[in-house]
Amino acid sequence: MKKLLWNEQLKIGVEVVDKAHAGLFRVAGRLMDLVEHEASSQSACKETIKFLEDYTMTHFSEEEAYMRSVHYKGYEKHKRLHDDFRDSTLVSLKKYLEKSEYSQASMERFVNVLIGWLTGHIMMEDQAITGHVGAKTVYEESPDTSVAAAAVSRAVKDVFHLEAQLADGDYNGRNSAKGYFYRLSYDMDDGGKVQILLVIEEQLARRGVGLVLGLDAMRNPERVREACLQIIEQFFRHVGKLFKSDAGYHLCKKEVLTKDEFREDFMTRYPCRLLFETRLGHFIFCARKWESKKRNCGG
């Protein structure tokens, strides 16, 4: 069964970039096969990961060269995302693999994070190079519900390719169906902090991951949970200007929560509490911003 699908929705319209992305999907698909059918072949996994790493770095260089050639205004931020993936995400994943001696669980996590990051990055950041996703409008620091709802709705459409209608602009925390619960914490360059709570109902989450994974992977809750976490990291890059017009930001903590943990945190009050409805389920977006002299997430 073909598990990793390259499709027209992921194209950005630049041949050298689209060709490289398709190649990355083929290599990632090979790695998925190794993990699922040749888990004991540590040497094969190592070789594939090394090839994938080299291929990714070559692609990043080509993509960055293209952005410079067209004088893309978002070049500096985009390059930082590439650098962070290379210097932080990949390094962390490789250390985890080595520490676990390439266990089945660690290999599956590597694949899930890789697929999620790659999908989210293409959908939001790479599409923006050629204007295929909405521009990041500069919002006021305390936007009204309609402005926030429009920004989040557009992000849902760009990531899940589904229309999202605001069902409740003052969500009260009532029970949602079975789904995935996340908390993302950010440090802002201006000294502030932003925290986002997200809830994605199961069918909607599977749709997001299913844009690039086949039915077999969509039935794997752990794969959907991990890959979806990587995808939704892109949301803040789309709606971050809701909180400060020009401030940069740094994701310092990302967490998968239980439903009880979500409820407990929700009760601490989030000024922005939005419930969206799609044909595949609900999407909940809660956010708050506060000022702090400390520069770490524990502050």
Side-chain angles (χ1 to χ4, degrees):
M1 178 184 294
K2 186 178 180 180
K3 298 206 172 63
L4 199 56
L5 307 176
W6 171 252
N7 59 67
E8 296 293 320
Q9 294 182 17
L10 295 176
K11 285 188 174 182
I12 74 168
V14 178
E15 185 177 1
V16 65
V17 175
D18 289 333
K19 184 176 179 181
H21 286 165
L24 283 171
F25 273 64
R26 286 193 297 272
V27 179
R30 168 58 178 160
L31 187 57
M32 289 177 67
D33 287 338
L34 286 172
V35 171
E36 296 185 12
H37 304 299
E38 303 174 36
S40 61
S41 180
Q42 186 179 125
S43 61
C45 287
K46 285 183 176 180
E47 289 178 8
T48 304
I49 290 172
K50 181 63 169 64
F51 179 82
L52 181 63
E53 184 178 19
D54 292 342
Y55 192 105
T56 300
M57 295 309 105
T58 299
H59 163 57
F60 283 174
S61 295
E62 292 176 343
E63 187 173 274
E64 289 163 12
Y66 173 78
M67 287 190 285
R68 291 193 299 271
S69 74
V70 298
H71 307 290
Y72 177 52
K73 292 182 179 180
Y75 170 78
E76 293 297 335
K77 288 185 177 180
H78 197 124
K79 186 178 186 305
R80 282 200 295 271
L81 296 176
H82 286 174
D83 293 344
D84 182 67
F85 180 76
R86 179 195 64 212
D87 300 334
S88 179
T89 303
L90 268 183
V91 170
S92 176
L93 288 172
K94 288 170 66 177
K95 285 182 178 178
Y96 182 65
L97 284 172
E98 293 167 0
K99 185 176 181 179
S100 67
E101 297 183 342
Y102 288 76
S103 68
Q104 179 79 5
S106 66
M107 286 299 303
E108 288 182 355
R109 182 171 183 272
F110 182 94
V111 170
N112 295 342
V113 171
L114 171 69
I115 297 304
W117 188 92
L118 182 61
T119 306
H121 186 77
I122 292 174
M123 283 179 170
M124 302 294 284
E125 299 300 331
D126 290 344
Q127 295 273 354
I129 297 173
T130 50
H132 289 179
V133 297
K136 296 181 180 179
T137 305
V138 175
Y139 302 104
E140 296 296 329
E141 188 167 345
S142 299
D144 61 26
T145 298
S146 63
V147 173
V152 178
S153 180
R154 182 54 191 259
V156 173
K157 184 174 183 179
D158 287 338
V159 172
F160 297 107
H161 295 273
L162 287 172
E163 295 295 334
Q165 300 296 326
L166 182 66
D168 191 344
D170 189 25
Y171 174 64
N172 64 8
R174 66 177 179 271
N175 289 342
S176 62
K178 184 178 179 182
Y180 301 97
F181 303 81
Y182 304 98
R183 179 169 58 210
L184 305 178
S185 302
Y186 297 85
D187 280 338
M188 309 297 287
D189 288 349
D190 64 356
K193 294 180 179 297
V194 171
Q195 197 164 77
I196 294 176
L197 281 180
L198 294 168
V199 181
I200 308 176
E201 289 192 353
E202 186 173 41
Q203 191 174 3
L204 178 59
R206 288 168 55 190
R207 163 61 184 263
V209 175
L211 286 171
V212 290
L213 299 181
L215 288 176
D216 185 62
M218 290 172 65
R219 292 173 182 146
N220 183 328
E222 291 302 320
R223 175 159 293 167
V224 172
R225 180 180 293 108
E226 187 64 47
C228 202
L229 174 60
Q230 302 303 314
I231 292 173
I232 65 171
E233 282 186 35
Q234 317 303 320
F235 267 80
F236 194 81
R237 294 166 192 152
H238 202 84
V239 303
K241 290 185 180 289
L242 286 168
F243 306 99
K244 189 69 175 179
S245 60
D246 295 313
Y249 59 88
H250 170 66
L251 174 63
C252 53
K253 197 172 188 179
K254 54 185 178 182
E255 302 166 276
V256 178
L257 306 179
T258 64
K259 182 177 286 190
D260 287 342
E261 288 171 335
F262 165 77
R263 289 173 180 162
E264 182 178 355
D265 194 17
F266 180 85
M267 294 305 292
T268 63
R269 296 295 296 171
Y270 281 76
C272 180
R273 306 183 305 277
L274 307 178
L275 173 68
F276 294 87
E277 192 171 59
T278 76
R279 64 182 178 82
L280 293 179
H282 292 98
F283 178 87
I284 298 168
F285 177 93
C286 305
R288 62 182 177 182
K289 181 179 187 293
W290 69 96
E291 302 302 323
S292 174
K293 294 181 180 180
K294 296 182 179 180
R295 300 306 307 278
N296 57 70
C297 285

